[in-house]
Amino acid sequence: MGALINVFVGLHVIGIAALLGGFLFQMKAMRTDQARFNSGMLHGAFTMLVTGMVLVGLNQADDDPVNNVKISVKLALLVVILGLVYVKRDEEKVPASLFGTVGALTIANIFIAVLWT
């Protein structure tokens, strides 16, 4: 079971990298209000959602303790991120404040995962 959990942790990290990488790649465009949500960001957020749910299930099946409050906070942030990216994915330009919000929520989600024990 440990190897399967590690595979899904790796896939979860790939989702985070796709979402955060898409944000960081367009930071220069964000200054001129030319940034947009790309499909990589959408797929990264969706990958994070699916692999996160699988990880919770696998950890509970393996009788590992799961911090449900932490998972709920991370899920809430991810649902907001996914909603914003999904709704605004077809727009040519996204306001810098909205684009920055997605980046800040993604970074907050990463720090919650790492620092909240």
Side-chain angles (χ1 to χ4, degrees), residues 18-60:
L19 181 59
L20 187 61
F23 170 76
L24 294 174
F25 181 73
Q26 295 191 58
M27 284 197 58
K28 188 173 184 179
M30 187 175 75
R31 288 186 219 138
T32 59
D33 273 340
Q34 300 294 322
R36 62 184 309 243
F37 296 126
N38 58 37
S39 61
M41 294 174 73
L42 177 64
H43 294 298
F46 186 68
T47 300
M48 286 174 60
L49 178 66
V50 171
T51 57
M53 291 188 317
V54 170
L55 282 169
V56 169
L58 288 174
N59 281 312
Q60 286 182 343

Side-chain angles (χ1 to χ4, degrees), residues 43-98:
H43 294 298
F46 186 68
T47 300
M48 286 174 60
L49 178 66
V50 171
T51 57
M53 291 188 317
V54 170
L55 282 169
V56 169
L58 288 174
N59 281 312
Q60 286 182 343
D62 202 24
D63 289 331
D64 288 337
V66 176
N67 186 341
N68 290 321
V69 176
K70 174 183 172 180
I71 299 301
S72 299
V73 170
K74 287 178 55 57
L75 178 63
L77 291 177
L78 185 56
V79 166
V80 171
I81 292 167
L82 192 55
L84 290 173
V85 173
Y86 184 78
V87 169
K88 299 290 187 176
R89 73 187 184 282
D90 291 331
E91 293 188 13
E92 282 297 317
K93 299 175 186 177
V94 177
S97 59
L98 185 63

